[in-house]
């Protein structure tokens, strides 16, 4: 029936990775300086220019943000770094839905302010909270496993997560040059990996099998050496 009245099909496309990074950067910077800030309005103008051809750029660069904010660049640099960190997974996890992206950013900011109101805001780093929230939002089983492990560990850490992040951060091994005879046997013996420990946890085996989880583990910052309990408390 509607097709008889509306003769032109119209579809709102999902945001791509570049568009998501621009959007997240603007949301975070706007929360820091206020939407009426003159420098912020200049940055919006720059962003609109980039969005005309998102396939030709990688989003807002540090130079663009610095041109808009000048001496106040340090106040908003963290927002730019964070958008680079969470942009790719946020774009794929939300399938480019702007409403879901904004809800994620709002929840991130609200939790940080909740921690400050409860008196432990100095123990919450926004990049760490954002990385955990990506797991909570898009990999709920992983988040629950990390939370249970951190709750049991006296220092609030997850040992399996330390192993996963170390493996994810390791550079790929270059293919070995062709050799022959005894030299090849020695090279193979030296290059052969150590056998996996018999007590390796089921969680770690499960996480290794997921490319999405391994991509999440590669995100900065690493969480292995951190006490995760304040972050889990504010999420709860």
């Amino acid at each position: 029936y509607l097709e008889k009245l509306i003769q032109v099909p119209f579809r709102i496309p999902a945001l791509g990775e570049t568009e998501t990074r621009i959007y997240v950067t603007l949301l975070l910077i706007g929360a820091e300086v206020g939407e009426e800030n003159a420098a912020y309005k200049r940055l919006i103008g720059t962003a609109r220019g980039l969005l005309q051809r998102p396939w030709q750029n990688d989003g807002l660069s540090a130079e663009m943000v610095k041109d808009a904010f000048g001496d106040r660049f340090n106040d908003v640099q963290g927002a730019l770094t964070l958008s680079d960190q969470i942009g790719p997974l946020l774009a794929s996890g939300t399938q480019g839905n702007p409403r879901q992206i904004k809800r994620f950013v709002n929840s991130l900011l609200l939790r940080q302010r909740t921690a400050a109101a409860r008196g432990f805001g100095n123990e919450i780093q926004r990049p760490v909270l954002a990385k955990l929230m990506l797991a909570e939002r898009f990999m709920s089983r992983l988040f629950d496993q990390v939370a249970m492990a951190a709750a049991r560990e006296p220092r609030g850490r997850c040992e399996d997560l330390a192993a996963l992040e170390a493996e994810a951060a390791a550079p790929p091994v270059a293919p070995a040059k062709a050799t022959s005879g005894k030299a090849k046997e020695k090279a193979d013996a030296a290059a052969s990996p150590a056998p996996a420990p018999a007590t390796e946890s089921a969680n770690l085996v499960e996480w290794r099998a997921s490319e999405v989880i391994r991509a999440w583990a590669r995100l900065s910052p690493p969480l292995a050496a951190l006490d995760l309990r304040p972050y889990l408390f504010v999420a709860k």
Side-chain angles (χ1 to χ4, degrees), residues 30-231:
E32 289 287 343
V33 302
E35 295 184 359
E36 298 303 316
N37 182 277
Y40 180 65
K41 291 182 178 180
R42 287 196 297 270
L43 188 63
I44 289 178
T46 302
R48 284 175 175 159
L50 295 176
L51 289 172
Q52 291 177 356
R53 292 177 176 81
W55 61 89
Q56 291 182 349
N57 61 80
D58 295 324
L60 289 165
S61 66
E63 291 75 15
M64 295 174 185
V65 178
K66 193 169 185 178
D67 286 343
F69 281 88
D71 295 339
R72 292 200 62 189
F73 173 69
N74 290 337
D75 297 339
V76 298
Q77 187 176 8
L80 182 64
T81 303
L82 183 58
S83 67
D84 290 341
Q85 171 197 347
I86 68 177
L89 276 182
L90 194 56
S92 61
T94 61
Q95 297 182 346
N97 186 305
R99 180 178 60 84
Q100 292 186 26
I101 293 170
K102 186 170 178 60
R103 285 171 63 90
F104 180 91
V105 174
N106 285 348
S107 297
L108 173 68
L109 298 174
L110 178 61
R111 286 181 173 181
Q112 192 168 32
R113 291 169 184 168
T114 299
R118 290 292 298 266
F120 61 97
N122 60 336
E123 299 180 49
I124 299 295
Q125 302 174 39
R126 187 177 292 177
V128 175
L129 180 60
K131 183 173 179 176
L132 283 171
M133 285 181 60
L134 285 173
E136 179 189 22
R137 175 67 177 81
F138 304 116
M139 295 159 270
S140 58
R141 178 175 171 82
L142 166 68
F143 179 81
D144 291 341
Q145 291 167 331
V146 170
M148 287 189 291
R152 290 193 300 262
E153 213 272 343
R155 298 168 298 173
R157 299 177 182 178
C158 177
E159 294 183 0
D160 290 336
L161 186 55
L164 181 69
E165 288 182 336
E167 293 174 6
V173 178
K177 296 181 179 179
T179 55
S180 59
K182 293 184 179 180
K184 182 178 185 301
E185 293 177 3
K186 291 181 180 180
D188 291 343
S192 60
T199 57
E200 189 173 78
S201 75
N203 283 348
L204 185 55
V205 174
E206 177 183 336
W207 298 347
R208 282 179 179 148
S210 170
E211 174 56 34
V212 175
I213 292 178
R214 285 186 279 114
W216 173 84
R218 285 192 291 269
L219 292 179
S220 179
L223 310 180
L226 300 177
D227 185 349
L228 300 180
R229 291 172 295 181
Y231 300 93

